[in-house]
Amino acid sequence: MVLSSVNSGRTRPSAKVGGALIRLRARLAAAPRLVSWLLTVLVAAFGGLLRFIRLGEPRAVVFDETYYVKDAWTMLLTGEPRNWPKYLNRGGLDFPVDTMFADGDTNRWLGSAEYVVHPPIGKWCIALGLKLFGGAGNTFAWRASTAIAGTIAIIIMIRVALRLFDNMSIALSAGLLMSVDGVGITLSRTGLLDIFIMVFVLGAFDLLLMHRDWARAKLQAHYAVDAARRNAHWVPDTSRRARRMQRKRLAATATEATDADASSSVQTVERNQSMLLDARGPVIAFSWYRAAAAILIGLATGVKWSGIYFMAAFCVISVIWDAWERYRAGYRSWLSTGLLCDAPLTALYMLPLWAGTYLAGWIGWFIHPDSYMHDWARNHPGQGVTWLPEGLRSFVEYHVEMWQFHTTLDSPHDYKANPLTWPLQVRPTSFYWEELDGHPGLCSLAPHSQCVSAVTSLGNPLIWWLGSLCTIIGIIIAIVKHGDWRIWAVLAGFLGGWLPWAQYLHRTTFTFYSIVILPWIILAICYVGDQVRQRVSTGTWRIVLAATLVPIMLVSGFFYPIWTAMPVPYEFWLSHMWFKSWI
């Protein structure tokens, strides 16, 4: 027996031991979390290196940087995007303005406001990089924000996968796949907008998963209290899922029982039906996670309007998850409460937050009197939505023009790609191609060959082909297993980021738009991988993991030079063009 020394004022030995044990348990509990974050940062650092090394190359305006980088620069200096001439005279000769801009002559914009067809948030993100890293005279600064966004996406990807599958090997694999994919790398190294949509919606999705975890914990806590009440009323669970599970239990019982007592066993199981609590449970519609998710999707919509589809898909899926968690907790009125209570309350605050965030991105347009179409209402009395104030009437009419542009754009382009082919990377986009003089870099290995430099936005084919296959397999698994909430996590990106484009098959679109579904291509691989992991031994799982990741890493190493504008012999570049549609 341990005696205390109360009178001496000393701490009891038992208290010392107990405190030490509590501290030890706390440290042990914190250790896996600390290790997981350390590994997350290491994988993100690897992916960041792939994005930041030689980020300033090529020293040229790449693809649509001609719009977004120059717009961002004039927004930074004047508050609004400005028009630029196509050519400038220098020494009696006309030079393309893009060439002069890349050479450091960056202040030749015109005084008139430019008609831009995308909201301002993405260009403000690029402008922040220009501000922090030396201005438009530094090509590194053009792409700094996209490289940072691409690196942050790796971190979020790992945390999303860990939250979904609760396995560090799968989570780190997800981050590694994000790190080495070609679409992710090229969009992180080019001053375009789409990488920002991806990181905003992926962050929003992570927050919605956090909301789900919070809602589950709250439901379980309230269920324990509600079930303990004396007047708690119970009803049988007659749902299809309950009947299906009951049939499985009956079959298992009948198989294990002898012929003599099989009938008795079946009757016993039938009497022990699952019971549900006849109550609605707590309100779980609001959480700060959901509020923050609405803001992030508002930012994504403020980059490009395609963020609207993510808002619709994510909200629906999140409300379905809420209802399902009510059922799993044991509440009878899970469906009606989800549809009639949680859904309207969720919309009541998420929609205003989302819309308000989008509108906040246009503050510059409202406060600058020379912004594009700012005075349209004043110059067109009696036209447009006449009951609105002049400023809002001009704003709405501007959006009508943007809508007409996006829904009717069908101009021919060499790299136009049908949205249905994006997951298979059938027609990648060539961002940059240049024949170089001399034999710099890897070209020195082939002195008799033409030296070229290219940026080809082509995803790692193994990742995209395997991910497309795993999406189909995942759906089949979910059907066979009669549902799995995580399959909706896998399909969320496809529903919000890819499927809506099926209504615009006539429109001029490009494969690099598929960056927004890259996280869910990877999650599809993780989903099937998790199914395999649960069914095989640890040793077999490690072999499967290595057999998947090693070839993918080798293919990424092979393609990296043509993702990053490294000087290479023409024959080396041609060896990467596995199909004619890739050229």
Side-chain angles (χ1 to χ4, degrees):
M1 181 176 180
V2 181
L3 299 177
S4 61
S5 304
V6 177
N7 295 334
S8 64
R10 296 177 181 176
T11 305
R12 292 182 298 177
S14 58
K16 287 184 177 180
V17 174
L21 289 174
I22 291 173
R23 288 192 295 272
L24 178 61
R25 290 194 191 101
R27 290 173 183 172
L28 291 175
R33 182 177 177 83
L34 180 62
V35 170
S36 74
W37 272 107
L38 177 61
L39 294 174
T40 297
V41 171
L42 288 175
V43 173
F46 168 70
L49 286 175
L50 298 180
R51 285 150 176 77
F52 278 97
I53 291 176
R54 299 178 64 255
L55 182 60
E57 298 295 330
R59 290 192 58 83
V61 176
V62 173
F63 203 65
D64 280 351
E65 283 184 341
T66 186
Y67 304 114
Y68 307 135
V69 172
K70 289 188 294 186
D71 284 350
W73 181 234
T74 54
M75 289 168 67
L76 186 63
L77 297 182
T78 73
E80 279 294 294
R82 304 294 170 181
N83 279 313
W84 292 75
K86 289 186 177 181
Y87 295 92
L88 287 171
N89 187 275
R90 178 185 289 177
L93 298 175
D94 287 337
F95 286 87
V97 70
D98 285 353
T99 301
M100 298 180 66
F101 190 88
D103 289 339
D105 192 354
T106 60
N107 296 322
R108 299 299 189 93
W109 66 82
L110 304 176
S112 56
E114 184 182 3
Y115 168 45
V116 293
V117 295
H118 294 300
I121 293 294
K123 293 181 281 291
W124 279 118
C125 291
I126 296 174
L128 180 61
L130 292 170
K131 178 68 174 179
L132 296 177
F133 295 96
N138 180 10
T139 49
F140 180 97
W142 299 2
R143 303 152 188 162
S145 291
T146 55
I148 292 171
T151 305
I152 292 173
I154 298 170
I155 297 174
I156 302 174
M157 183 78 254
I158 295 173
R159 309 317 294 183
V160 166
L162 187 59
R163 197 172 297 279
L164 281 172
F165 305 107
D166 196 26
N167 181 267
M168 203 63 209
S169 64
I170 289 181
L172 294 176
S173 298
L176 194 61
L177 294 178
M178 178 71 81
S179 297
V180 302
D181 179 69
V183 177
I185 289 174
T186 55
L187 269 293
S188 297
R189 298 175 59 91
T190 312
L192 305 187
L193 304 180
D194 301 78
I195 192 75
F196 300 119
I197 307 175
M198 187 267 279
V199 73
F200 284 140
V201 298
L202 183 59
F205 188 71
D206 193 23
L207 287 166
L208 292 177
L209 289 175
M210 294 181 190
H211 167 83
R212 179 185 170 276
D213 292 343
W214 167 85
R216 182 174 65 251
K218 184 173 183 179
L219 286 165
Q220 290 174 350
H222 276 257
Y223 178 82
V225 175
D226 292 341
R229 293 175 179 170
R230 289 187 177 183
N231 60 347
H233 180 58
W234 300 87
V235 294
D237 182 2
T238 59
S239 65
R240 292 177 58 187
R241 177 177 179 271
R243 293 197 302 268
R244 184 169 62 250
M245 296 302 296
Q246 184 179 331
R247 286 195 297 269
K248 289 182 179 179
R249 291 195 299 267
L250 291 174
T253 303
T255 301
E256 295 173 359
T258 61
D259 292 340
D261 60 3
S263 177
S264 174
S265 299
V266 170
Q267 292 174 1
T268 300
V269 175
E270 285 179 338
R271 285 194 299 268
N272 294 330
Q273 294 185 29
S274 298
M275 305 296 286
L276 291 175
L277 186 61
D278 191 13
R280 298 179 63 177
V283 175
I284 56 173
F286 177 83
S287 74
W288 291 110
Y289 302 117
R290 256 191 183 155
I295 292 172
L296 285 182
I297 303 175
L299 291 173
T301 310
V303 176
K304 282 188 176 182
W305 282 357
S306 51
I308 297 172
Y309 300 117
F310 282 102
M311 181 66 180
F314 284 5
C315 285
V316 170
I317 288 171
S318 184
V319 169
I320 291 174
W321 283 344
D322 277 1
W324 186 244
E325 288 303 323
R326 285 187 184 278
Y327 173 73
R328 291 181 64 184
Y331 287 104
R332 179 192 181 191
S333 304
W334 59 278
L335 183 58
S336 60
T337 304
L339 295 178
L340 302 179
C341 178
D342 292 334
L345 290 176
T346 299
L348 194 62
Y349 72 92
M350 285 193 75
L351 289 177
L353 282 173
W354 165 72
T357 303
Y358 173 79
L359 290 173
W362 288 91
I363 290 176
W365 183 90
F366 282 103
I367 65 177
H368 287 87
D370 62 340
S371 56
Y372 184 80
M373 288 186 69
H374 186 278
D375 293 333
W376 180 89
R378 182 182 304 171
N379 298 327
H380 297 78
Q383 298 182 34
V385 186
T386 55
W387 55 269
L388 286 174
E390 280 191 354
L392 289 177
R393 188 150 56 96
S394 298
F395 184 68
V396 169
E397 190 64 24
Y398 187 2
H399 278 62
V400 170
E401 280 202 14
M402 292 168 64
W403 174 259
Q404 291 173 347
F405 172 86
H406 288 302
T407 55
T408 61
L409 179 63
D410 59 356
S411 57
H413 195 286
D414 290 341
Y415 291 98
K416 179 179 179 179
N418 188 309
L420 299 181
T421 68
W422 294 352
L424 298 179
Q425 299 289 296
V426 171
R427 183 56 173 163
T429 313
S430 176
F431 282 173
Y432 174 80
W433 166 272
E434 188 71 28
E435 295 183 359
L436 304 178
D437 296 329
H439 294 84
L442 295 176
C443 293
S444 61
L445 301 176
H448 302 294
S449 176
Q450 173 64 55
C451 188
V452 301
S453 176
V455 177
T456 306
S457 184
L458 168 68
N460 183 313
L462 296 188
I463 293 177
W464 286 84
W465 297 344
L466 179 61
S468 299
L469 176 61
C470 286
T471 301
I472 298 172
I473 294 174
I475 294 173
I476 295 173
I477 292 174
I479 293 173
V480 172
K481 292 177 63 177
H482 300 283
D484 181 349
W485 74 271
R486 294 177 304 172
I487 194 60
W488 291 106
V490 173
L491 295 178
F494 292 94
L495 293 173
W498 178 53
L499 188 60
W501 288 97
Q503 62 184 315
Y504 300 118
L505 298 182
H506 66 284
R507 189 188 185 277
T508 302
T509 60
F510 303 95
T511 298
F512 72 85
Y513 293 176
S514 63
I515 183 68
V516 297
I517 63 172
L518 174 61
W520 288 273
I521 285 283
I522 293 171
L523 286 179
I525 298 174
C526 293
Y527 180 81
V528 175
D530 188 58
Q531 299 296 317
V532 173
R533 181 186 64 84
Q534 295 179 38
R535 290 165 173 76
V536 300
S537 64
T538 302
T540 303
W541 166 241
R542 289 174 179 170
I543 294 173
V544 171
L545 198 60
T548 302
L549 295 179
V550 170
I552 287 174
M553 295 288 290
L554 292 175
V555 168
S556 286
F558 178 64
F559 278 93
Y560 188 74
I562 72 163
W563 290 337
T564 58
M566 287 185 177
V568 296
Y570 174 79
E571 290 76 14
F572 180 82
W573 171 84
L574 190 61
S575 68
H576 294 72
M577 301 297 106
W578 295 354
F579 306 98
K580 282 187 176 181
S581 63
W582 286 10
I583 298 177

